[in-house]
């Protein structure tokens, strides 16, 4: 299978490179081409993971593969981490654990540089309580393959354990610490379009704290809830597109993950 994975990996790298042609060449009016790129990028990674998953029938009947984080919300740049969660039942057999490890190894052999965690539902809840970043990533989970009932149990358990007010305070504290790292200013010599104050991460935090307590997917969803005016929603969307387009081009130019304007 190693030779197959090596060939498979070269195909993935080539297809990912070809997708870069879909990136908008100007930031003005870039919303549609950026959306097309991100949708195509997501579909490409989904397809390759699903093809690899088919080699492990034991996983398909007893485990579940989820996309989380930026990959889960289908908003990730060319060389962003591919964040996945492999859910196992409470009493996973040794054979199932071995299959899970083999699948993750096959992903790397195929050129899919995944950031993976393997947990039961109970372990997911505990991990979310222990680490706010893990809880945030799980908040944006998306089903990919395997036992759908296990994914539904995971969603229900995480939602039940989520305290929106505690989540808000934790994300606010996390944001203050990040701003301090960047001297509380976006005007650095080499600003980071993702992490610097006023960058993509600040916009994401705003949506995360709202999603923790209500069903919100887009900036437009804030309008009927009275959380933003129609103009403010359009401005938020425009700024998100602008920063995301810059980030995607930084990745494309560097040929790796690079969020700084050097």
């Amino acid at each position: 299978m190693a030779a197959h994975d090596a060939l498979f990996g070269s195909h993935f790298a080539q297809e990912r490179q070809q997708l870069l042609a879909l990136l908008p060449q100007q930031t003005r009016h870039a919303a549609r081409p950026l959306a097309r790129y991100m949708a195509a990028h997501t579909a490409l990674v989904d397809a390759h993971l699903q093809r690899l998953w088919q080699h492990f029938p034991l996983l398909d009947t007893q485990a579940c593969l989820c996309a989380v984080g930026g990959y889960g919300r289908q908003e990730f740049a060319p060389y962003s981490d591919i964040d996945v969660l492999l859910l196992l039942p409470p009493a996973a057999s040794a054979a199932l654990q071995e299959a899970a490890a083999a699948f993750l190894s096959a992903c790397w052999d195929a050129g899919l540089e995944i950031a993976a965690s393997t947990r039961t539902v109970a372990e997911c809840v505990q991990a979310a309580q222990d680490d706010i970043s893990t809880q945030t990533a799980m908040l944006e989970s998306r089903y990919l393959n395997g036992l759908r009932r296990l994914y539904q149990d995971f969603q229900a358990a995480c939602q039940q354990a989520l305290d929106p007010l505690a989540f808000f305070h934790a994300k606010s504290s996390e944001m203050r610490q990040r701003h301090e790292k960047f001297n509380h200013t976006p005007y650095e010599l080499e600003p980071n379009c993702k992490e610097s104050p006023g960058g993509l991460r600040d916009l994401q935090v705003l949506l995360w704290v709202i999603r923790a307590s209500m069903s919100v997917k887009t900036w437009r969803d804030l309008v009927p809830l009275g959380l933003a005016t129609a103009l403010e929603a359009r401005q938020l969307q425009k700024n998100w597109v602008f920063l995301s387009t810059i980030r995607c081009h930084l990745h494309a130019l560097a040929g790796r993950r690079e969020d700084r304007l050097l």
Side-chain angles (χ1 to χ4, degrees):
M1 188 173 173
H4 173 269
D5 289 343
L7 178 61
F8 185 41
S10 67
H11 288 168
F12 171 72
Q14 292 167 5
E15 291 176 78
R16 180 172 61 182
Q17 191 65 29
Q18 291 168 358
L19 280 182
L20 297 180
L22 296 177
L23 284 176
Q25 297 307 306
Q26 301 179 23
T27 55
R28 188 181 180 187
H29 307 305
R32 288 187 178 179
L34 181 67
R36 283 197 296 269
Y37 167 76
M38 287 189 167
H41 189 194
T42 300
L44 173 66
V45 177
D46 285 357
H48 281 274
L49 283 174
Q50 287 161 356
R51 286 175 58 186
L52 282 172
W53 185 264
Q54 292 173 2
H55 291 281
F56 301 90
L58 187 61
L59 292 179
D60 201 44
T61 57
Q62 297 185 35
C64 178
L65 182 66
C66 316
V68 294
Y71 176 41
R73 67 177 177 270
Q74 305 180 61
E75 296 175 2
F76 64 134
Y79 292 94
S80 292
D81 286 336
I82 302 171
D83 297 314
V84 298
L85 169 64
L86 188 53
L87 287 172
L88 298 180
S93 65
L96 184 60
Q97 293 177 3
E98 290 175 5
F103 168 74
L104 297 178
S105 178
C107 289
W108 276 91
D109 290 342
L112 291 163
E113 298 179 3
I114 60 174
S117 56
T118 303
R119 296 187 174 105
T120 64
V121 171
E123 289 171 342
C124 287
V125 172
Q126 185 61 54
Q129 292 174 344
D130 293 341
D131 181 66
I132 189 62
S133 296
T134 301
Q135 186 174 44
T136 306
M138 291 179 182
L139 187 64
E140 302 183 300
S141 66
R142 180 168 57 90
Y143 170 84
L144 289 176
N145 286 96
L147 198 59
R148 190 177 290 273
R149 186 182 71 254
L150 190 57
Y151 176 69
Q152 293 168 342
D153 292 344
F154 157 75
Q155 278 194 311
C158 288
Q159 188 61 41
Q160 185 177 7
L162 178 62
D163 180 341
L165 184 58
F167 183 81
F168 169 78
H169 287 306
K171 295 308 292 185
S172 297
S173 175
E174 187 182 62
M175 184 170 68
R176 285 193 296 270
Q177 292 173 13
R178 177 168 47 81
H179 285 187
E180 186 175 348
K181 178 182 175 182
F182 290 95
N183 301 314
H184 297 281
T185 177
Y187 302 109
E188 295 281 352
L189 181 62
E190 296 180 347
N192 188 307
C193 68
K194 179 183 177 183
E195 301 288 347
S196 289
L200 276 169
R201 184 63 83 205
D202 282 2
L203 290 174
Q204 290 165 350
V205 167
L206 179 58
L207 276 183
W208 285 333
V209 296
I210 298 172
R211 284 175 180 166
S213 57
M214 57 190 71
S215 180
V216 169
K217 292 186 177 181
T218 68
W219 298 112
R220 289 191 300 273
D221 294 338
L222 303 183
V223 178
L225 295 171
L227 297 175
T229 65
L231 175 60
E232 288 168 340
R234 288 196 298 271
Q235 290 174 327
L236 287 165
Q237 171 67 10
K238 180 180 179 181
N239 290 329
W240 178 84
V241 169
F242 177 76
L243 291 168
S244 295
T245 303
I246 289 175
R247 185 176 184 230
C248 285
H249 278 290
L250 286 172
H251 282 215
L253 287 168
R256 57 182 172 82
R257 184 171 60 184
E258 178 57 83
D259 300 328
R260 298 167 299 165
L261 288 163
L262 301 177

